[in-house]
């Protein structure tokens, strides 16, 4: 450990001022120092915002235009990539090491952990068996950390980290892993990602009793972690990337493009698959944002007008609009659609559910060409869905191949979303710090890197984008 002041930075995804009111243990961080509104960036989604927090740059400069995008050089839509080399710009740990070469960093489940120049890392990484089975596990740096954590805490609880059984267990495991790393290895900077609020706020919306219950669960899980940080004499920062707002209107942007003859599919075994190679236009849906890739500039006006006329679309950004939001990067779509506050974009491109690909009914974050919040639900229209899921799980436990066909194709069950900039700061992200010396009412996401360096006593002049 260097002579820098130790820092623990906890990203409580989905935390807003409204929910903070139900989290007395977490509020104490701000009571000891200060609490501010965090002015997030667009798009307000995990991968983009985390990249801004760690680099001080906007998507135009760090390149993370969403949780995924169309990789033009591969001809594929890919979401939830994990390699840190995708993120351009100097990270906070690189800046810290210019002042303190022995500065040590632990990344516990922040995104793009793989390949990052951190001393310790933990990130979800299932085992993909040769026969098609998937088993829960994680990737760690150093490799010995894997057994150190799983011997103490059990396997990484992948099936409570995402999917219809997502629950507090995964956040509890992550917080316990962070405590273990702090105790055993004493890093200067510990980054911790706590995902639990994401689940029930998307399932039930941010205004009901489920949201309050989830906030209280997170507060209880954070208690031992915050206590361990204080015991080390660490400065604590608790922040969030975005707030989740009530949203009940799914917008089928790809289906509209298909009906207009702009999106093509190819068929295998009676199932339809998006064909990005021949499509004139298609969208990568990402919560309340959709990157629309238009192959021929001659189709731009038609695609823009078609999408603008869809119920639930607030605006469609062209080149000038993307530049105004700091999203003018080559990975972005030629157009970017923004949903209205109570709407969100589906990835669906088939017109008949009987032609949907088999992965549509499963939790499959890497094969779907867009984000699918319906993965948080067991299909309410299928009375046998849970018994069938239990039977599939039994097959898995004895080493047999299995398919979890549990996800609904009706997206109307979703009640919350995010991605657009918040209309009300009470529904936006927050920044709490136990050190009041840098107190202010608002913190821009692009300022967080610089603030962390100041809190560590390692400030180096940076350019705020």
């Amino acid at each position: 450990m260097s002579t820098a002041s130790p820092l623990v930075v906890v990203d409580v995804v989905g935390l807003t001022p409204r929910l903070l009111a139900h989290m007395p243990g977490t509020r104490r961080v701000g009571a000891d120092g200060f609490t501010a509104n965090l002015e997030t960036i667009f798009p307000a989604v995990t991968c983009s915002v985390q990249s801004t927090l760690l680099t001080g740059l906007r998507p135009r400069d760090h390149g993370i235009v969403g949780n995924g995008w169309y990789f033009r050089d591969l001809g594929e839509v890919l979401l939830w990539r994990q390699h840190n080399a995708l993120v351009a710009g100097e990270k906070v740990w690189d800046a810290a090491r210019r002042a303190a070469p022995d500065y040590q960093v632990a990344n516990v489940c922040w995104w793009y952990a793989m390949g990052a120049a951190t001393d310790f890392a933990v990130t979800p990484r299932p085992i993909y068996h040769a026969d098609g089975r998937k088993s829960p596990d994680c990737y760690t740096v150093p490799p010995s950390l894997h057994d150190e954590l799983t011997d103490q805490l059990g396997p990484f609880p992948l099936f409570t980290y995402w999917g219809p059984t997502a629950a507090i267990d995964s956040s509890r495991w992550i917080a316990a892993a962070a405590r273990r790393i702090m105790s055993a290895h004493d890093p200067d900077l510990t980054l911790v990602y706590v995902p639990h609020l994401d689940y029930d706020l998307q399932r039930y919306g941010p205004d009901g009793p489920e949201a309050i219950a989830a906030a209280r669960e997170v507060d209880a899980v954070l208690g031992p972690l915050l206590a361990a940080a204080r015991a080390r004499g660490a400065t604590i920062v608790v922040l969030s990337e975005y707030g989740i707002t009530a949203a009940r209107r799914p917008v089928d942007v790809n289906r509209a493009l298909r009906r207009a003859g702009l999106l093509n599919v190819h068929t295998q075994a009676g199932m339809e698959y998006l064909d990005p190679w021949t499509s004139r236009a298609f969208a990568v849906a990402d919560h309340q944002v959709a990157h629309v890739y238009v192959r021929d500039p001659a189709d731009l006006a038609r695609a823009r007008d078609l999408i603008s006329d869809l119920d639930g679309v607030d605006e469609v950004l062209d080149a000038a609009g993307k530049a105004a939001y700091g999203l003018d990067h080559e990975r972005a779509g030629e157009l970017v659609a923004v949903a209205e506050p109570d709407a969100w974009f589906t990835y669906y491109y088939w017109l008949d559910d009987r032609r949907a690909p088999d992965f549509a009914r499963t939790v499959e974050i890497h094969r779907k060409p867009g984000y699918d919040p319906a993965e948080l639900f067991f299909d309410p229209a299928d009375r046998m869905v849970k018994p069938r899921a239990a039977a599939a799980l039994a097959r898995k436990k004895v080493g047999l191949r299995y398919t979890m066909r549990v996800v609904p194709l009706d997206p109307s069950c979703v009640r919350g979303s995010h991605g657009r900039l918040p209309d009300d700061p009470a529904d936006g992200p927050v920044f709490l710090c136990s050190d009041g010396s840098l107190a202010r009412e608002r913190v821009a996401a692009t300022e967080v890197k610089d603030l962390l360096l100041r809190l560590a006593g390692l400030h180096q002049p940076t350019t705020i984008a």
Side-chain angles (χ1 to χ4, degrees), residues 106-109 120-124 137-157 172-185:
N107 178 346
V108 187
C109 292
F120 306 94
V122 183
T123 195
D137 208 351
C138 59
Y139 169 91
T140 71
V141 173
S144 59
L145 183 60
H146 176 278
D147 292 347
E148 180 183 329
L149 293 177
T150 56
D151 287 349
Q152 293 281 326
L153 307 174
F156 181 83
R172 185 180 294 113
W173 192 99
I174 290 167
R179 296 202 316 270
R180 170 73 187 175
I181 291 169
M182 288 193 298
S183 173
H185 304 287

Side-chain angles (χ1 to χ4, degrees), residues 54-181:
L54 296 178
T55 65
L57 304 174
R58 293 185 181 276
R60 68 156 59 96
D61 297 309
H62 60 58
I64 306 303
V65 299
N67 292 322
W69 55 87
Y70 179 52
F71 284 66
R72 301 173 198 268
D73 53 344
L74 299 177
E76 293 185 66
V77 176
L78 298 172
L79 278 78
W80 306 111
R81 302 294 93 186
Q82 292 181 287
H83 194 350
N84 195 262
L86 291 169
V87 187
E90 180 189 63
K91 283 74 173 182
V92 63
W93 48 83
D94 297 320
R97 287 172 185 152
R98 285 193 279 114
D102 56 348
Y103 195 76
Q104 291 201 325
V105 179
N107 178 346
V108 187
C109 292
W110 283 50
W111 212 252
Y112 298 116
M114 299 180 74
T118 57
D119 303 275
F120 306 94
V122 183
T123 195
R125 188 69 169 180
I127 303 168
Y128 294 99
H129 298 276
D131 65 359
R133 289 178 298 120
K134 180 171 67 176
S135 298
D137 208 351
C138 59
Y139 169 91
T140 71
V141 173
S144 59
L145 183 60
H146 176 278
D147 292 347
E148 180 183 329
L149 293 177
T150 56
D151 287 349
Q152 293 281 326
L153 307 174
F156 181 83
L158 183 73
F159 298 130
T160 63
Y161 186 77
W162 183 249
T165 55
I168 193 65
D169 309 63
S170 55
S171 293
R172 185 180 294 113
W173 192 99
I174 290 167
R179 296 202 316 270
R180 170 73 187 175
I181 291 169

Side-chain angles (χ1 to χ4, degrees), residues 276-293:
W277 306 284
T278 66
S279 293
R280 291 157 62 188
F282 64 92
V284 177
D286 196 356
H287 300 273
Q288 293 180 309
V289 181
H291 286 270
V292 184
Y293 294 88

Side-chain angles (χ1 to χ4, degrees), residues 198-277:
D198 228 17
Y199 307 146
D200 282 355
L201 271 66
Q202 290 188 67
R203 286 175 177 137
Y204 306 112
D207 301 323
E210 298 89 352
I212 295 172
R216 289 172 174 161
E217 282 186 303
V218 170
D219 198 49
V221 162
L222 290 182
L225 175 63
L226 300 179
R230 290 187 182 99
R232 297 176 65 224
T235 299
I236 301 169
V237 171
V238 176
L239 50 73
S240 52
E241 306 152 9
Y242 50 77
I244 294 175
T245 52
R248 298 194 174 202
R249 284 194 293 158
V251 181
D252 295 333
V253 58
N254 275 324
R255 284 173 169 162
L257 291 169
R258 183 174 178 184
R259 291 188 178 103
L262 295 172
L263 182 150
N264 292 338
V265 301
H266 66 92
T267 303
Q268 292 178 300
M271 297 179 288
E272 294 180 343
Y273 298 88
L274 174 68
D275 190 347
W277 306 284

